[in-house]
Amino acid sequence: PDGSRGLGDVYKSQRADPPTDGHQALLLGLAQRYGQVAAWASDNPFKQHGAPLELRAQLLGTLIESLGNDQVQLTQELSSPKAIETLDRAAIRWPDRQLVFVVGGDLAGQIPSWYRAADLLRRCRLTVVPRQGHPMAAGALERLRDLGAQVELLELPVPATASSAIRGGQENSSIPEVLWPELLKHNLYGLTSKLAP
């Protein structure tokens, strides 16, 4: 609960559409910081999705398995479009743990508009990880604190990769090698090879 390794749990929703080197670095960084990392693919109602949830969960699971780190687990049963429902599920699964909910800095400004945001923020610690190239909304942390959030800003060395660039056909280099067979098998995002732009 004080952030010491081995004491806290962290829960990280991933849109993972598709998972990138950035997701991989983030999960490994969180594993070093916290005792346990539970991640899941989610459907953010504020964003468009390029692949179905089930397939995104499979890709995220493949990425997590490739990490070879028992501290990081795919816990897909936590997934819900409503973060408060995810938190309820996590509290049932780990009743004796303080919950730490992790979001990217680009989402920090959205949280006040989430369903029952104040309830969510009072029931967990919130960790915000800034994303390179995606500035946080001005005043976002202050608004979260005004809603009762215990906010920690956690700087991690996460590459400036974006799933949206891959979905838009702009970049393939940030896709982890382990995911290519599934991406090509399902013809996702218009990818034809590891080298194609």
Side-chain angles (χ1 to χ4, degrees):
D2 64 3
S4 300
R5 191 169 189 267
L7 294 178
D9 286 330
V10 62
Y11 305 92
K12 176 64 180 137
S13 169
Q14 303 275 342
R15 214 168 57 112
D17 193 12
T20 66
D21 291 338
H23 292 102
Q24 182 174 325
L26 174 61
L27 291 169
L28 289 171
L30 292 173
Q32 287 180 344
R33 172 81 170 142
Y34 299 100
Q36 182 178 3
V37 178
W40 61 94
S42 67
D43 277 333
N44 181 335
F46 297 103
K47 294 189 177 184
Q48 296 281 353
H49 301 284
L53 179 61
E54 182 178 292
L55 186 50
R56 287 186 287 118
Q58 178 185 337
L59 292 168
L60 183 58
T62 299
L63 178 70
I64 288 171
E65 187 177 312
S66 77
L67 299 178
N69 186 326
D70 291 340
Q71 289 177 273
V72 183
Q73 303 170 0
L74 178 69
T75 316
Q76 190 59 31
E77 59 273 15
L78 296 180
S79 183
S80 170
K82 296 178 179 170
I84 191 75
E85 290 177 2
T86 294
L87 190 66
D88 289 341
R89 293 171 187 173
I92 290 168
R93 183 171 177 140
W94 294 286
D96 298 329
R97 296 287 190 140
Q98 182 179 20
L99 306 179
V100 180
F101 197 83
V102 179
V103 297
D106 56 321
L107 291 181
Q110 289 181 8
I111 293 174
S113 66
W114 289 3
Y115 176 73
R116 293 179 50 201
D119 289 342
L120 171 79
L121 296 171
R122 281 192 296 270
R123 294 179 46 208
C124 67
R125 285 177 33 212
L126 179 69
T127 294
V128 177
V129 180
R131 289 185 60 198
Q132 293 180 32
H134 300 274
M136 199 174 335
L141 297 182
E142 292 76 19
R143 283 190 295 281
L144 292 170
R145 288 186 180 108
D146 288 346
L147 285 173
Q150 300 173 55
V151 182
E152 173 189 16
L153 192 62
L154 179 60
E155 301 278 349
L156 290 175
V158 177
T161 60
S163 296
S164 59
I166 295 166
R167 290 192 309 273
Q170 301 167 11
E171 177 188 2
N172 289 350
S173 62
S174 63
I175 299 172
E177 181 85 21
V178 69
L179 299 181
W180 274 98
E182 284 301 308
L183 290 170
L184 294 175
K185 174 182 165 185
H186 295 284
N187 192 28
L188 288 176
Y189 317 108
L191 302 174
T192 57
S193 77
K194 291 191 274 190
L195 303 176

